[in-house]
Every structure is written in C-alpha cells, then in structure tokens.
C-alpha cells in the first residue's frame, strides 16, 4: 500500500515537472526579450522611466533573465510555486490577480459538477441495471443517449433562449444576480451563487452524467452476472444487500478511476458553457490569453490546471486503493 | 401428485419443465426431469454441455432468472427446517426462498476463481451468511467461521479470515466456498461442476473433501458434472441427462457395469481410460449434440443412436429395469411388458462386457481409409525409423518479473527450466502436467513462437537434424512448413472473419505452395481428410460446432504437409463424445501421413491413449520419461503416481492411493529448492529439500527415466493393465 502511494506520488511529481518544462519552453519561445516588450509597453503608457527601470530590474532578477536556461527555469518554477503567476502583457496586470477568483470558482464548480454527476448518475445507472428492460431503464437509456449526444453549448443556448423567452429574464446568465456581481464575498452572495449554480452544474455536467449513467448501468449488469453474485444470492441475502454490499463496490470502480479523466473534460466543457453564459471561469481567460499570445498568463493557467488535475487523479487513485484490495496488494 | 414425498427424501424433483423464450422462439431446456436425493446420499447428474443440468439444479433454489425462463410444469420438493417445501411455488415469495438458501440448501459453483467476492475478506463473506440466518453475536459468528475453515482443511484458519480472494489459489477458494456453503449446516449441497476448473491433483483433494464432509455433516449432495470419472468416484446414484431429459438413472455400480441406455453406453465407450488399448480407435458416438431447437421429436437421442427404430419417433417410456435402475428407451419397453424387470439382463444389447465386445455395431466408428492402427505396428515402425525428428537439449524459458515504477526485475519465472527431449520420426510423445508446469511453453519453444532463454533445439524436416534455436524468423518460416500446430480453443485460434477456404488455405498461400483454384482443390482435399465436406469452404468458423472447428484447425495445420505436429490440449475444450472423434482423427492422420507428434495435455488418460512415450512435467522440469504404458503401470516418480491416482476413473469402487499429494501447486516464480515436488511428496526425505535429483535411467530399463532420489527403492502404485483390471472391477462389483 505504501509503495503504491509513493509510486503514484512520484508519478505525480514527474508529470508536473514535464508540464512545467513544456510551459517554460513555450514562455521562452516568442522572439524578442520579454523585458524589452515590457519596457516598451510601459514607455508607451508614459510611465516614469525610473519606475520602468526598477520594474524591469525586478523582473530581471526574479526570472534570472540573461542567465542560462536551467537557472531561468528554476527561478520561474520557484516563483510559480510561491504563487507569483507572472505578468499579463495583454491586461497589464500580474497574472495572479486576473486568475484569482476565477480559478477558485472553476475548481469549485468542477468539483460540484463531479459530485452532481456521481449523485445523479450512480443511482440511476444502478437502478437501470437492476430493473433492466423496465420502463425506468428504457426512459433513462433514452435520456442518457440524448445527454451524451447533445453538446453542452447547445444545452446552454437552449437554456438561454428559454429563460429569456419564457421567464423573461433580463440578465441572461452568470453566476450571480446583478447586484452581487461586484460585491464582496458574503453569506448573501454565496446563497445567491447557489441559486444560480445548479443550472450551470446541470448544463456542464449533463454530458458526463449521461455517459456515467451508461457506464454504471453496463458495469452493474456485468457485475450482477458474476459468479460471486450467485454465491451471495445463495447465502440468502436480500436484494438490497446484494446490490449495495456486493455489486456496487465492484461496479463503481471504473467510475472512480475515471474521475481523473473527467476533470479536463469538465474544464473544457465548462469553458464553452462559460463563454456562452459569460461566466467568470478560468476557461475563457485561458482562451483569451492564447488568442492574445499572452504567454505568461497562458502558461500559468496551464500549470495550475495541470496541478489540479494531477492532484485529482492522485486522490482518485487513493480512493481506488482504499476500495479495492487487489490494488492495495499489487506492490 | 401434489402431496409431499416421504420424509426419506431430501429433494424430490417431479416432471420439471423449463423453457426459455427468445426472439428465435421457445426452447424447452428441461423437459420432464424427475430426480430425487435421499438422506445422506450423493447423487450425480451427468451430461454434456447444454443438456440442461445447470438449469435443473439452479431451479431448485430459484437462481434461474425468470423471465426469460418459464416454469411450465413440475414440482420441486425440498426438505427444509419447516418440513417439506415446494420451492417453485416460493418464487413469488422471495423472503421465504431466501430463508431456505444457505440454511437448508447451499450451492458451490464451477468457477471458484470467480465465485469469491474480490473485495471482501473471506471472513466477512462467511460470517455474513451466518448473521443472515441466525441471531448470534459477531464474535460467535467469527468463531464458527474459523472452525468451518478448519473443517474444510484451509491452513491456519484465523489468518485466512482477513485474506482476499486474489491471495488464494483455485483449490483454496473452492475450499473457502465450501465452508461458506456449509456454515449453516444445510441438509443438501448442490455442487455445480465443482472441480472442472481445477487441476487434477487439486480436483482429487476437493472430491475427497466433499466425500468426507458428507459423513461429518450428515448431508446429501447433488453433484452435476460432465465427467463420468468424477461421478464414479463420488456418487451413490447417477442420472444421465441429454437434451433436457433424463436418459438413465441407476446406482453407480449398475450404470458403469451395465449401462442400459445407448447414450450412456456411448459416453462410457468414448472415454479414453487408463485401461484402453493405446493408439486404437475409441468408439465414438456419431455426430454432435444438436441445438436444443433441432432436437429430434420422440427420443431426443434418435439422430445419434445406433439402435434407432421406427417407434423412436414417439417419446420413449421410462422403463424400470430393476429397483433403482431405469432407462428411457424403447429397447426395454417390451421387457417390462413381457418378462418383467428382472429379465432386463437377458437383453442382449445391454450388459457389462458387451459394451466393449460388440461395440462396432452399436457405436459408429468414423469411416477411415485405413483400418485400425495396431499398437504393434507402431512399435515396429519405431524400430525401423530410429532417427530423431526433433531434439531439444537443456532448453529453458525464463520470464523476468518486473515490478515498480522503473520496471525493475524482481524475479524470474522459470516456465521451462532445462528440458531435454527427443521425438523420433513417426512417434508421438505425450507431454503431461498440471497448469503452470511449462508444458505449453515447451510446445511454443519447439515451434519457436517464443525465444528460448537457453539450450538448443534441433529439427529435421526430412532427414538431417538442423539447429533452429536462434535462426532468424525468415528462415524459420521455411522450417514451419514442416511443422503443424493445433491449439486448445478452436474458436479463438481461427480467425472469425475469414472463411474456411482462406483459413485452411492461408499456409499454402503463405508458403507459395498454391494459388487460385489450386488452393480450392487442396483445401477441399484437406477438409475431406478431416471428415468435413469440401463444399463447406465458403462458410465461416461460427457456422461450425466445437468439434468441427477443431477439425478445421487440424486441416489447416496439415495444409503444408508437415512431418511434425504440435497438438496443445486439442480436445480439452470439447464434449466427451466429440473428444473421442478428434482423438480418433488424430490417430488416423498420424498413421496415414506418418507424422511425428508432440501431444500436450493435462489428462494423463488422454495422453496415454495417443502416445508412444510420455514425459511428465512438474514446475518446468521433466520428472519422468518413458514408454506410455510402462509409465502408467509402473510409475517411478511420486508425482506421476499422484497424477495417475488423481484421474477420476469411470470405475466405481476402485481403490485409490492412500496418500495423495498435499497442498497446492507452488508458485512457478518461486519453486521449492531441491526436488521441486518435495513440498507435496508423501515420500519426501530431508535430502529432497537440498539436492535436486537429475533425470536418470530407472534401474536397468533403457527407455525409462525418472528424477527422484529414491526411484530405485520406492514401489509406486500404477494402474494395472486391462485384463487384470476387468477381473478385479467385476469382482469388486460382484461382492455388492
Ligand atoms: S428410444 Fe430409440 S433412439 Fe432412443 S435411445 Fe432407445 S433405441 Fe435409441
Ligand atoms: S526426490 Fe524426494 S521429494 Fe522428490 S519425488 Fe523423490 S522422494 Fe519425493
């Protein structure tokens, strides 16, 4: 068990280093010196030359510009770790400022979407398998098919359309009611967000939920056909005990191990939805940064997202090991 | 009819009829089965795959999902703690049915590897059963579980409580499952092919355990199996089932000594036993088990029965031949009417010895161009062509075990560890051993499907031996033209997307031996040679039955006219009656084409039947090598003795070895030191743990080798030859 965790941990570190290296190479790619660009920009804005010099000097020291590449990489990585995300050329602000709230919102929404997906999909999939070919099964199989095949931005557009035409909404979407958008975080703002967030969870999570229903149903059917389920039946156990105690924990395995893979899907899915619904998530910012060749910002977002992903994966692995003795004893 | 049976019966199935409906229509899988089990009795229900025995046994406890199953008629009476209960009527009342399961009747299944829950400890799984049925505190349930694990012979039971399925071998899992089944002391144990998935020595242990527990827990057992040997060993009474009907029921002695029904006779005659004349044709039943929907009307066996008469179009009556012996066959109808049941023995076509004697008129032998090969002829030929076709010297196959992130090598599996063998021209060498012994690897080594880690392989296509150990695959392609290969599972070894012409003709095209219509012609010839129709070339593999697919695989193997054939478990996936046909075919072809053959199998009776010499393998080593009959009559290695004793023979009452090998097969990655068999050998001495015995000639025999320190001192028990055994078996039966 310990070796297993250690292994996963080391893998996690290696992935992080590789992603950071790649990001770093991208940062270094564009022709011209970052500092020249910066000072030109600042000059254009009529900033005091002394301030410009000191700013440039500060960045030179911080990123070790002018020294050889691995020192530069080391310094860059170190500053990233300290939470300094670099400087956005496009927005003329430190990247961390731009990302701040969007990042945490994105992560929370992703996690909430995952939970939503789990809570909805697992019971539905399980019941569909237990009641195979029933009306319940048929209707959810149909709905799941629909959910898998309709892209989330279409759902989002439909939602927009409906809320404008039917409900007469004036502010179309977003995470907050207009009065809270710029307000400080408060209990009231949080409650306001909860009121809005479920529809986003629904739109973002629909596709994943639908495919999870299908996976869960198929896995549950497979599991119920296993000989050890017959063994359990022959003990005289009730249906509930067989389904929950014996079948569920085996059937749910691949869904847990796929959590790590769901994360990027959710983030990219939420990006499209966020663009349509103008949500303050990280995705649109990343897109923006990429379009504007704002390398520092783009790479910082990339690195942070990767980190979130890798940690998610690691947690999924831990959960699996805790659930499945075969994995625990593997090493 | 609706009254409960007398209390002597634990189980009474009356006229059970179960159908399955699907898009294709309704088929009746169980068609009027009546069967009973008395107190303390072991009853065997035997039949080939698809005969409905599983559905029958599962119906008793409501494990047949309904729908799609339809229970059209019949009653199943089971003795429970509340008196006789009709279980079919309980299907609507799941609660009552659940109270019976595990408490009054339990079941063990065919695949122990998959029947233990993979994520719960053994202890959790067994105590769960106790807590379901009885009001006991967990501590008591724990104690009882430990006790039960001890009773089924698992070593250090408290330690087993916290183990998971993947930590146990197949045999240990089956023991744990038996403990799970019996922990609430049911009166009836249903055993669904409980040993089919296990190795022969482990199978023998499990059968012994069931026999022992029957006494100690005073329960009854209903055992279903396709293996006649298993029931002969274990059962008191037997019912033979075919296509949803019971063909014959009787005591084990009567069924084996005086089988009455033509199907039972055919089944017994088609089994290669340790007493049959080696290298002769087995009397196989003609044809294959038809699809249920295609079953003949009237007597379902009519299309394969050698005695079929016009009246067989009608459903035959169940005739009582004696008390406790009945058969469903028109042959005996008039017996009852005119002479009464006692005269049954006077019927010419049923009786012990005639089974072998006039078999040819009853049981069809595949028509062959050549007459039966005689054992002597084979012996003679050996003498004239004493040149070797294949020699392997000190060949080894080692796999690294890689672990961890960096795939570090943490050990080596010595699948084959220094094997010397030679095969003479025209000779069949049988290679026998249990799973993991490396026998399949040897087959793959000699055909260079895997690269040997050490040693030399020399092969002579037609004449001189040439080294092929490390020749490049391009050259090897040429050599392979002279080597044919047949594998165990005909379905997966044939490409399902290719038609038969391309499957069989592929080697011809690959070696540029034919093209265009010449291929069609040659494929046609080959198909006819293996007993199929040349016209079937355009069909695809799934259109054929298992036995026919194996014929196709053989045709393909012989396409390039090889002089050497490797057959790896060619019959173990087939039904008994089809197995005999394939063995006969291999024997005939070998004679006709003068093939040398490496015949690999786990069943020493099958190997003995087709081989001139036998090599016995254990954990990567040859432990005994010698003449096929010699080895079976006078084994020199304790492992060979154990293998022989483990084969359940269709000879009830035959005394088996007192001391069977203990424990499980060791892990091939970590074989025991010294003699690899010492952990299980009943004759083991201190020296066996330290010194590895070498394969040396046994006493003064020229052609018999053994690898045991004590082979010259031990007097091991083999299986007597045909003449003697018939006498003794008859005598044993006569005493009853
Ligand atoms: S009833 Fe007829 S076909 Fe059936 S087994 Fe008897 S003789 Fe053969
Ligand atoms: S060498 Fe010893 S352990 Fe090995 S088979 Fe002979 S007696 Fe048994």
């Amino acid at each position: 068990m310990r070796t297993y965790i250690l292994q996963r941990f080391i893998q996690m570190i290696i992935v992080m280093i590789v992603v950071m290296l790649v990001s770093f190479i991208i940062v270094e790619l564009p022709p011209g010196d970052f500092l020249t660009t910066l000072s030109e920009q600042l000059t254009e804005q009529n900033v005091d030359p002394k301030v410009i010099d000191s700013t440039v000097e500060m960045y030179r020291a911080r990123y070790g510009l002018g020294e050889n590449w691995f020192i530069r990489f080391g310094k860059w990585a170190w500053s990233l770790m300290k939470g300094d995300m670099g400087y956005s050329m496009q927005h003329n602000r430190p990247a961390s400022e731009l990302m701040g709230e969007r990042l945490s919102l994105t992560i929370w929404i992703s996690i909430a979407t995952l939970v939503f997906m789990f809570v909805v999909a697992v019971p539905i999939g399980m019941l569909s398998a237990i009641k195979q070919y029933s009306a319940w099964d048929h209707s959810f199989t149909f709905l799941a098919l629909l959910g898998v095949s309709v892209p989330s931005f279409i759902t989002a557009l439909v939602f927009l359309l409906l809320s404008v035409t039917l409900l007469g909404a004036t502010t179309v979407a977003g995470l907050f009611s207009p009065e809270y958008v710029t307000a400080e975080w408060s209990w009231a703002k949080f409650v306001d967000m909860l009121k809005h967030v479920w529809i986003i969870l629904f739109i973002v999570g629909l596709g994943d939920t639908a495919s999870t229903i299908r996976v869960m149903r198929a896995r549950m059917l497979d599991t119920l056909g296993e000989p050890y389920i017959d063994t359990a039946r022959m003990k005289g156990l009730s249906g509930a005990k067989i389904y929950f105690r014996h079948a569920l924990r085996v059937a749910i395995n691949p869904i847990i191990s796929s959590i790590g893979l769901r994360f990027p899907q959710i983030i990219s899915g939420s990006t499209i939805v966020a663009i349509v619904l103008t949500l303050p998530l990280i995705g649109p910012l990343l897109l923006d940064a990429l379009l504007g060749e704002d390398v520092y910002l783009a790479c910082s977002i990339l690195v942070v997202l990767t980190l979130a992903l890798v940690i998610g994966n690691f947690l999924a692995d831990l959960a699996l090991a805790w659930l499945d003795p075969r994995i625990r004893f593997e090493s | 009819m609706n009254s409960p049976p007398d209390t002597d019966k634990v189980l009474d199935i009356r006229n059970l009829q179960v159908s399955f409906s699907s898009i294709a229509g309704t088929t009746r899988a169980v068609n009027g089965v009546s069967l009973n089990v008395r107190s303390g009795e072991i009853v065997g229900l035997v039949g080939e795959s698809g005969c409905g025995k599983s559905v029958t046994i599962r119906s008793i406890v409501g494990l047949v999902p309904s729908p799609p199953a339809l229970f059209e008629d019949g009653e199943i009476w089971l003795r429970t703690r509340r008196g006789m209960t009709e279980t079919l009527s309980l299907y609507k009342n799941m609660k009552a049915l659940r109270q019976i399961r595990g408490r009054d009747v339990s079941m063990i299944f065919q695949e122990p590897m998959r029947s233990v829950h993979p994520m719960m400890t053994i202890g959790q799984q067994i105590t769960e059963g106790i807590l379901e049925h009885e009001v006991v505190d967990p501590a008591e349930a724990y104690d009882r579980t430990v006790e039960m694990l001890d009773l089924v012979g698992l070593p250090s039971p408290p330690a087993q409580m916290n183990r998971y399925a993947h930590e146990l071998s197949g045999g240990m899992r089956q023991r744990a499952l038996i403990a799970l089944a019996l922990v609430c002391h049911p009166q009836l144990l249903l055993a669904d092919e409980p040993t089919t998935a296990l190795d022969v020595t482990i199978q023998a242990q499990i059968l012994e355990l069931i026999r022992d527990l029957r006494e100690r827990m005073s329960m009854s057992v209903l055992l279903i199996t396709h293996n006649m040997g298993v029931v002969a060993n274990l059962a008191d009474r037997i019912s033979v089932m075919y296509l949803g009907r019971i063909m014959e029921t009787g005591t084990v002695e009567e069924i084996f000594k005086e089988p009455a029904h033509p199907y039972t006779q055919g089944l017994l005659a088609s089994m290669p036993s340790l007493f049959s004349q080696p290298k002769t044709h087995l009397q196989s039943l003609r044809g294959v088990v038809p699809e249920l929907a295609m079953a003949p009307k009237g007597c379902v066996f009519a299309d394969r029965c050698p005695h079929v008469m016009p009246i067989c179009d009608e459903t035959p009556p169940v005739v009582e031949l004696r008390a406790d012996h009945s058969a469903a066959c028109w042959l005996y109808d008039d017996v009852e009417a005119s002479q009464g049941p006692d005269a049954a023995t006077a019927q010419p076509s049923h009786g012990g010895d005639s089974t072998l004697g006039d078999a040819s008129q009853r049981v069809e032998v595949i028509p062959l161009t050549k007459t039966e090969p005689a054992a002597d002829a084979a012996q003679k030929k050996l003498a004239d062509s004493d040149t070797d076709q294949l020699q392997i010297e000190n060949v080894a196959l080692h796999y690294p075990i890689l672990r961890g992130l960096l795939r570090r090598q943490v050990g080596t599996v010595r699948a084959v560890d220094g094997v010397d063998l030679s095969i003479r021209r025209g000779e069949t060498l049988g290679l026998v051993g249990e799973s993991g012994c490396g026998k399949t690897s040897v087959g793959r080594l000699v055909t260079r499907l895997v690269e040997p880690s050490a040693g030399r392989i020399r092969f002579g296509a037609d004449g001189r031996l040439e080294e092929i150990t490390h020749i490049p695959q391009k050259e090897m392609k040429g050599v392979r033209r002279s080597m044919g290969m047949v594998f165990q599972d005909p379905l997966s070894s044939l490409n399902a997307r290719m038609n038969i012409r391309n499957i069989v003709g592929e080697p011809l095209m690959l070696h540029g031996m034919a093209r265009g219509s010449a291929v069609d012609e040659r494929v046609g010839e080959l198909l006819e040679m293996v007993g199929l129709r040349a016209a079937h070339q355009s069909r695809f593999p799934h259109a054929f039955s298992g036995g026919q697919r194996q014929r196709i695989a053989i045709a393909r193997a012989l396409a390039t006219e090889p002089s050497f054939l490797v057959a790896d478990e060619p019959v173990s996936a087939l039904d008994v009656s089809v197995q005999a046909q394939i063995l006969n075919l291999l024997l005939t072809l070998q004679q006709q084409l003068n093939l040398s053959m490496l015949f690999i199998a786990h069943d020493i009776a099958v190997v003995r039947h087709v081989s001139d010499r036998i090599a016995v393998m254990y954990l990567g080593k040859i432990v005994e090598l010698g003449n096929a009959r010699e080895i079976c009559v006078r084994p020199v290695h304790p492992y060979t003795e154990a293998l022989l004793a483990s084969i359940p023979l269709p000879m009830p009452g035959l005394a088996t070895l007192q001391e069977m090998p203990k424990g499980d097969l060791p892990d091939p990655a970590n074989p025991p030191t010294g003699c690899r068999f010492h952990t299980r050998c009943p004759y083991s001495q201190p020296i066996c743990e330290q010194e590895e015995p070498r394969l040396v000639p046994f006493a003064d025999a020229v052609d018999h080798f053994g690898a045991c320190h004590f082979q010259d001192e031990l007097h091991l028990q083999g299986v007597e030859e045909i003449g003697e055994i018939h006498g003794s078996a008859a005598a044993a039966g006569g005493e009853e």
Side-chain angles (χ1 to χ4, degrees):
Chain A
M1 178 78 173
R2 261 218 247 108
T3 16
Y4 172 78
I5 295 177
L6 201 71
Q7 260 183 30
R8 289 297 135 127
F9 193 75
I10 294 172
Q11 273 174 12
M12 183 165 98
I13 304 280
I14 292 175
V15 171
M16 272 324 290
I17 292 176
V18 169
V19 170
M20 286 175 84
L21 260 177
V22 172
S23 306
F24 175 71
I25 292 168
I26 297 172
V27 169
E28 296 252 316
L29 268 185
D33 191 336
F34 157 69
L35 294 179
T36 340
T37 328
L38 181 69
S39 63
E40 271 167 17
Q41 258 187 13
L42 292 179
T43 320
E44 267 171 36
Q45 291 164 11
N46 298 323
V47 180
D48 184 354
K50 270 190 201 146
V51 180
I52 294 177
D53 280 350
S54 64
T55 315
V56 166
E57 207 37 54
M58 181 192 87
Y59 278 105
R60 183 189 304 282
R62 187 189 289 169
Y63 295 121
L65 298 177
E67 299 186 49
N68 64 12
W69 73 269
F70 56 84
I71 294 193
R72 292 202 307 274
F73 175 66
K75 293 211 167 182
W76 177 75
W78 179 238
S79 61
L80 264 186
M81 271 179 246
K82 285 192 306 192
D84 174 0
M85 300 292 159
Y87 193 84
S88 162
M89 293 294 143
Q90 211 177 2
H91 301 270
N92 241 331
R93 284 161 66 190
S96 47
E97 245 171 64
L98 285 166
M99 285 157 68
E101 195 169 273
R102 283 171 174 260
L103 185 66
S104 49
L105 268 180
T106 307
I107 289 178
W108 283 120
I109 285 194
S110 304
I111 291 175
T113 309
L114 267 180
V115 172
F116 170 82
M117 178 192 94
F118 242 75
V119 170
V120 174
V122 170
I124 292 180
M126 196 169 149
L127 208 63
S128 296
I130 294 171
K131 303 218 172 293
Q132 194 187 6
Y133 302 139
S134 65
W136 165 282
D137 179 29
H138 285 308
S139 30
F140 274 99
T141 306
F142 175 72
L143 286 180
L145 188 68
L146 210 64
V148 173
S149 22
V150 177
S152 56
F153 70 90
I154 300 265
T155 327
L157 285 173
V158 168
F159 161 74
L160 271 184
L161 195 71
L162 288 182
S163 57
V164 170
T165 56
L166 292 183
L167 306 174
T170 43
T171 53
V172 196
L175 263 180
F176 308 101
S177 306
E179 59 269 35
Y180 287 108
V181 173
T182 47
E184 284 290 297
W185 274 104
S186 65
W187 180 248
K189 184 174 179 179
F190 180 70
V191 172
D192 181 62
M193 187 186 82
L194 284 189
K195 279 191 211 145
H196 290 83
V197 82
W198 65 269
I199 194 78
I200 294 165
L201 296 190
F202 177 76
I203 295 171
V204 175
L206 184 65
D208 278 314
T209 309
S211 69
T212 307
I213 290 177
R214 286 156 60 105
V215 173
M216 188 65 203
R217 176 179 181 273
R219 282 287 309 174
M220 194 73 186
L221 281 178
D222 282 356
T223 310
L224 288 177
E226 287 286 334
Y228 54 79
I229 296 298
D230 279 341
T231 307
R233 287 210 170 95
M234 269 317 287
K235 277 189 243 179
L237 300 184
S238 64
K241 281 182 191 159
I242 289 168
Y243 299 136
F244 286 101
R245 213 187 279 168
H246 290 252
L248 180 60
R249 60 168 93 188
V250 180
I252 208 170
N253 238 359
I255 293 177
I256 292 182
S257 59
S258 73
I259 286 181
L261 300 175
R262 297 268 175 201
F263 248 121
Q265 279 178 24
I266 288 175
I267 287 173
S268 55
S270 68
T271 303
I272 299 173
V273 176
I275 291 169
V276 176
L277 298 183
T278 58
L279 303 177
L281 299 186
I282 198 93
L285 187 65
L286 174 62
L287 187 69
D288 228 30
L290 289 173
L291 290 176
E293 292 182 29
D294 194 347
V295 281
Y296 267 105
L297 184 59
C299 287
S300 303
I301 295 177
L302 222 69
V303 170
V304 172
L305 285 184
T306 318
L307 185 69
L309 255 174
V310 176
I311 291 179
N313 247 322
F314 181 67
L315 291 180
D317 282 343
L318 286 192
L320 263 193
W322 172 69
L323 264 178
D324 191 340
R326 287 168 294 187
I327 295 180
R328 240 179 292 155
F329 286 89
E330 196 186 50
S331 36
Chain B
M1 187 82 178
N2 274 318
S3 57
D6 44 5
T7 46
D8 180 41
K9 287 178 183 159
V10 176
L11 174 74
D12 193 9
I13 301 179
R14 298 173 184 172
N15 192 32
L16 182 68
Q17 294 191 5
V18 187
S19 295
F20 286 89
S21 54
S22 67
I23 322 163
T26 311
T27 47
R28 192 166 284 172
V30 178
N31 195 353
V33 164
S34 297
L35 181 76
N36 61 63
V37 180
R38 300 181 197 128
S39 284
E41 199 179 33
I42 299 186
V43 173
L45 182 58
V46 205
E48 295 179 281
S49 58
C51 70
K53 53 193 195 302
S54 258
V55 175
T56 305
I57 199 172
R58 285 170 160 256
S59 298
I60 300 168
V61 285
L63 275 189
V64 185
S66 159
L70 293 170
F71 294 85
E72 293 174 320
D73 199 3
E75 295 161 35
I76 299 176
W77 289 94
L78 185 74
R79 190 161 82 202
T80 69
R81 283 168 215 217
R82 298 188 178 168
M84 293 308 283
T85 309
E86 209 286 301
T87 63
L88 282 183
S89 63
L90 288 185
Y91 280 20
K92 296 273 168 298
N93 181 357
M94 268 315 280
K95 191 149 179 263
L97 196 59
R98 275 178 16 224
Q99 282 173 353
I100 291 173
R101 290 180 182 168
R103 190 156 169 253
D104 296 304
V105 54
S106 272
M107 188 154 169
I108 52 175
F109 300 92
Q110 178 164 14
E111 294 178 272
M113 296 315 277
R114 293 170 60 203
S115 298
V116 184
H117 196 284
M119 298 189 192
M120 290 167 84
T121 63
I122 300 297
Q124 278 168 357
Q125 295 187 50
I126 300 180
T127 44
E128 188 185 33
I130 306 178
L131 296 173
E132 186 67 32
H133 292 294
E134 297 169 39
V135 192
V136 292
D137 59 297
E140 192 190 329
Y142 182 93
D143 292 341
R144 269 177 56 192
T145 307
V146 173
E147 207 177 294
M148 198 64 217
L149 288 175
D150 189 39
L151 194 66
V152 297
L154 278 173
S156 53
Q160 306 292 350
M161 295 291 286
N162 296 322
R163 298 182 82 183
Y164 289 94
H166 66 272
E167 298 173 84
L168 306 183
S169 67
M172 287 166 85
R173 284 186 209 194
Q174 195 59 291
R175 282 178 195 268
L177 285 164
I178 292 174
L180 186 153
L182 300 184
V183 75
C184 291
H185 297 268
Q187 304 184 27
L188 177 64
L189 176 68
L190 307 175
D192 183 351
E193 302 264 9
T195 57
T196 307
L198 303 173
D199 274 315
V200 276
T201 55
I202 308 299
Q203 159 165 301
Q205 293 171 357
I206 297 292
L207 294 180
E208 185 57 47
L209 176 69
I210 294 177
R211 197 177 358 232
D212 178 50
L213 287 175
R214 182 252 306 243
E215 303 283 327
R216 292 168 70 166
M217 307 197 58
S218 57
M219 59 174 184
S220 314
V221 181
L222 176 58
L223 166 85
I224 65 180
T225 176
H226 69 282
N227 188 330
M228 283 299 223
V230 166
V231 278
N233 247 259
L234 201 59
D236 304 310
R237 280 191 308 130
I238 295 176
S239 288
V240 181
M241 205 167 164
Y242 183 76
L243 286 179
R245 291 174 187 266
I246 302 274
M247 300 277 109
E248 183 170 2
T249 299
T251 61
V252 69
E253 287 81 12
E254 286 187 72
I255 294 281
F256 283 95
K257 257 175 50 210
E258 296 176 29
H261 198 282
Y263 177 61
T264 318
Q265 292 172 348
L267 266 190
L268 287 173
S270 59
M271 281 181 70
S273 73
L274 288 167
F275 317 108
S276 60
Q277 178 77 13
K279 307 209 83 171
T280 58
H281 277 165
L282 293 160
Q283 294 140 10
S284 65
L285 285 163
R286 70 176 160 198
V288 293
V289 186
E291 292 283 325
L292 208 46
M294 303 291 172
K297 295 200 180 52
C299 176
V300 286
F301 187 56
D303 63 335
R304 304 177 74 192
C305 179
H307 297 295
V308 58
M309 313 174 273
I311 196 175
C312 299
D313 279 350
E314 284 162 49
T315 307
V318 177
V319 183
E320 291 278 339
L321 301 169
R322 296 212 184 96
D324 252 347
H325 190 179
S326 59
C329 174
W330 282 113
L331 284 178
Y332 304 104
D333 184 42
D334 51 336
V335 177
E336 189 173 40
S338 59
Q339 296 157 310
D342 281 340
T345 32
Q347 197 67 14
S349 55
H350 114 273
D353 290 341
S354 63
T355 316
L356 296 168
D358 59 17
S360 50
Q361 50 152 286
R362 286 188 280 117
V363 192
E364 188 212 31
V365 174
I366 315 175
L368 298 161
T369 38
K370 262 203 166 181
T371 44
E372 306 240 323
D376 301 293
Q379 222 92 44
K380 227 181 282 152
K381 202 158 72 276
L382 274 187
D384 347 309
S385 59
D386 213 4
T387 47
D388 285 346
Q389 168 132 46
L390 176 83
Q391 280 181 355
I392 65 177
E393 273 168 42
N394 202 22
V395 162
L397 179 64
H398 296 172
Y399 294 108
I401 310 173
L402 302 175
R403 277 272 164 75
L405 199 56
L406 305 172
R407 314 309 294 157
R408 249 175 323 124
Q409 185 175 350
V410 294
T412 309
V413 179
R414 297 164 186 278
V416 178
D417 202 13
V419 162
D420 297 291
L421 279 178
S422 60
I423 299 179
R424 296 168 199 147
R425 230 162 255 288
E427 177 192 49
T428 301
L429 178 73
L431 193 54
V432 67
E434 291 174 281
S435 62
C437 73
K439 56 187 192 301
T440 294
S441 298
V442 170
R444 296 171 63 83
L445 279 168
V446 300
T447 47
R448 285 283 312 281
L449 290 176
V450 287
E451 289 296 312
S453 316
R456 289 176 77 187
I457 305 170
R458 292 189 299 162
F459 178 75
D462 35 29
R464 271 181 313 111
L465 283 172
E466 277 167 43
E467 174 118 16
I468 60 163
T469 324
H470 293 296
I471 60 171
Q473 286 297 336
K474 229 192 202 155
E475 269 178 65
M476 193 56 212
K477 187 184 151 193
V479 176
R480 281 221 186 94
R481 208 176 130 169
S482 320
M483 293 177 159
M485 275 159 269
V486 181
F487 299 102
Q488 169 174 6
D489 181 0
L491 190 55
S492 64
S493 62
L494 300 181
N495 185 342
R497 285 153 198 253
M498 276 161 70
N499 66 18
I500 301 310
R501 181 229 180 229
N502 289 337
I503 288 175
V504 177
E506 191 181 43
L508 293 171
M509 299 181 262
L510 205 68
H511 291 285
M513 296 170 72
R515 59 164 67 158
S517 61
V519 177
D520 299 347
E521 226 167 84
R522 174 81 179 121
V523 169
E525 258 173 55
L526 285 162
L527 289 180
E528 278 177 2
M529 189 165 83
V530 297
L532 294 171
R533 288 217 208 112
H536 288 171
Q537 293 199 28
S538 56
R539 298 196 183 176
F540 288 83
H542 61 255
F544 295 87
S545 70
Q548 288 172 324
R549 285 190 206 119
Q550 199 57 290
R551 287 174 194 264
I552 294 167
I554 293 172
R556 178 187 157 95
L558 297 177
T560 55
E561 298 182 38
S563 48
F564 175 63
L565 189 68
V566 176
D568 187 358
E569 298 272 18
V571 296
S572 60
L574 304 175
D575 273 323
V576 189
S577 63
V578 181
Q579 170 178 327
Q581 297 170 359
I582 298 295
L583 289 178
N584 287 347
L585 176 67
L586 281 174
L587 283 169
T588 313
L589 290 173
Q590 198 209 356
Q591 287 282 313
Q592 274 178 1
L593 309 173
N594 193 24
L595 286 171
S596 330
M597 182 150 73
L598 177 62
F599 187 93
I600 302 167
H602 69 282
D603 185 337
I604 196 169
V606 170
V607 172
R608 173 186 172 279
H609 188 79
V610 296
S611 306
D612 300 299
R613 285 188 305 144
I614 292 182
V616 181
M617 258 188 111
Y618 187 73
L619 290 178
K621 296 262 183 200
I622 303 277
V623 294
E624 182 164 356
L625 173 67
N627 174 286
R629 290 165 84 170
E630 263 297 300
I631 275 194
C632 296
V633 177
R634 212 155 56 117
V636 305
H637 196 282
Y639 179 61
T640 315
E641 180 188 45
L643 265 189
L644 286 166
S646 300
I647 300 280
L649 294 171
M651 292 271 164
L654 197 70
T656 44
L657 267 191
Q658 292 307 304
E659 293 214 69
M660 290 295 290
K662 319 162 277 237
D664 267 319
L665 284 158
D667 179 5
N670 191 13
T673 55
C675 173
R676 293 185 177 189
F677 190 51
H678 85 247
T679 49
R680 307 175 70 202
C681 179
Y683 311 102
S684 170
Q685 304 278 335
I687 183 185
C688 304
E689 276 174 51
Q690 284 136 27
E691 232 170 274
E692 181 159 351
R694 294 191 319 121
L695 192 67
V696 291
F698 165 61
D700 39 296
V702 266
D703 212 11
H704 199 169
F705 302 84
C708 170
H709 289 306
F710 303 102
Q711 58 192 18
D712 293 335
E713 289 126 65
L714 289 172
H715 289 283
L716 301 181
Q717 189 182 332
V719 177
E720 296 127 280
E721 279 284 81
I722 305 165
E724 307 161 46
I725 202 70
H726 262 288
S728 64
E735 282 160 23
E736 306 283 313

